[in-house]
Amino acid sequence: MTLPMHTTSTGFLLPSIHSAPPFFTQQPNPATQATLTEYWTKLILSYARFRRLFTLRVEDAETTGGDWDEVLRNPRINRKLPPSHLQYIISQMVTKDLAVHEPAKQTRSVLLYWRLPEEWAEVLHEWASSTGQLNTIMTFYEIVEPPIPSELSSLPISLLKKVIVILTKTARAQVIAVADGEGVRFLPGTPGR
């Protein structure tokens, strides 16, 4: 029996494993659970990228009609991911540096790395170069809420700060104090310098 793939109302194509009832149940066999966790991780990160979602909370498994409803539930087979299982998946994602607890010092909410901070650093520097922002001081707000939407639109400030640290280490950015708090000057340096 082959399981069907399904396209959600937002246009995301769910993999066929999403139609398998055991996919929504924590498995007693460690090898089986590791495989399912890997599938869940890929599904969560690809969906987050598709929808531009940056945060996942354990409570999302209990929230009907939320941003994650299409992935964490499958009404066609009457299954949903229990919060305890989502908590386990989140912990594994953090262990593999694919997410980080946000805010820190709690374990129920994460910032997802559907792009690693190093990848975001390249996106940010390329954006600064292509939009003529090199050697210009910009506030963090101007970067994440630009007048013309970009790949950086709505990027969480905590992630932006990590990305800027990466750019400062390669001499491609400099943090500057501005009236509203912090800003950054992008420099034309080269990657990996």
Side-chain angles (χ1 to χ4, degrees), residues 107-119:
T107 59
R108 297 186 62 80
S109 177
V110 291
L111 179 64
L112 298 168
Y113 288 160
W114 43 269
R115 265 195 183 129
L116 296 174
E118 295 78 12
E119 295 170 309

Side-chain angles (χ1 to χ4, degrees), residues 139-140 175-183:
T139 65
F140 292 172
V175 176
I176 306 285
V178 294
D180 300 352
E182 292 179 292

Side-chain angles (χ1 to χ4, degrees), residues 10 18-19 24 27 40 61 79 88 95 100 106 117 120-121 133 141 155 169 191-192:
T10 60
H18 195 263
S19 294
F24 291 84
Q27 299 298 311
W40 269 112
R79 291 286 192 263
Y88 175 79
T95 299
V100 63
Q106 56 77 42
W120 278 114
Q133 303 300 332
Y141 177 81
L155 190 72
K169 288 179 180 175

Side-chain angles (χ1 to χ4, degrees), residues 4 56 64 79-81 105 125 138 151 165 171-172 174:
L56 177 61
T64 305
R79 291 286 192 263
K80 65 181 183 175
L81 190 67
K105 298 186 180 169
H125 195 266
M138 300 188 72
E151 289 186 79
V165 166
R172 293 185 289 161
Q174 177 183 25

Side-chain angles (χ1 to χ4, degrees), residues 12 42-55 68 71 112 114:
F12 183 77
K42 287 178 183 173
L43 176 57
I44 287 168
L45 292 176
S46 62
Y47 185 74
R49 185 178 194 129
F50 178 80
R51 294 275 318 271
R52 293 193 52 80
L53 301 174
F54 292 97
T55 305
W68 290 97
V71 170
L112 298 168
W114 43 269

Side-chain angles (χ1 to χ4, degrees), residues 28-46:
N29 180 300
T32 304
Q33 183 56 47
T35 300
L36 285 183
T37 300
E38 191 174 316
Y39 278 119
W40 269 112
T41 298
K42 287 178 183 173
L43 176 57
I44 287 168
L45 292 176
S46 62

Side-chain angles (χ1 to χ4, degrees), residues 119-176:
E119 295 170 309
W120 278 114
E122 297 310 315
V123 169
L124 176 57
H125 195 266
E126 175 57 35
W127 172 82
S129 298
S130 67
T131 58
Q133 303 300 332
L134 294 181
N135 294 312
T136 303
I137 297 173
M138 300 188 72
T139 65
F140 292 172
Y141 177 81
E142 290 172 311
I143 296 167
V144 299
E145 297 297 333
I148 299 170
S150 77
E151 289 186 79
L152 302 163
S153 297
S154 302
L155 190 72
I157 296 294
S158 60
L159 180 54
L160 178 63
K161 287 180 178 183
K162 288 178 186 186
V163 168
I164 290 171
V165 166
I166 292 166
L167 290 176
T168 59
K169 288 179 180 175
T170 58
R172 293 185 289 161
Q174 177 183 25
V175 176
I176 306 285

Side-chain angles (χ1 to χ4, degrees), residues 1 3 17-25 27 77 79:
M1 175 178 141
L3 297 170
I17 195 170
H18 195 263
S19 294
F23 186 54
F24 291 84
T25 308
Q27 299 298 311
I77 60 170
R79 291 286 192 263

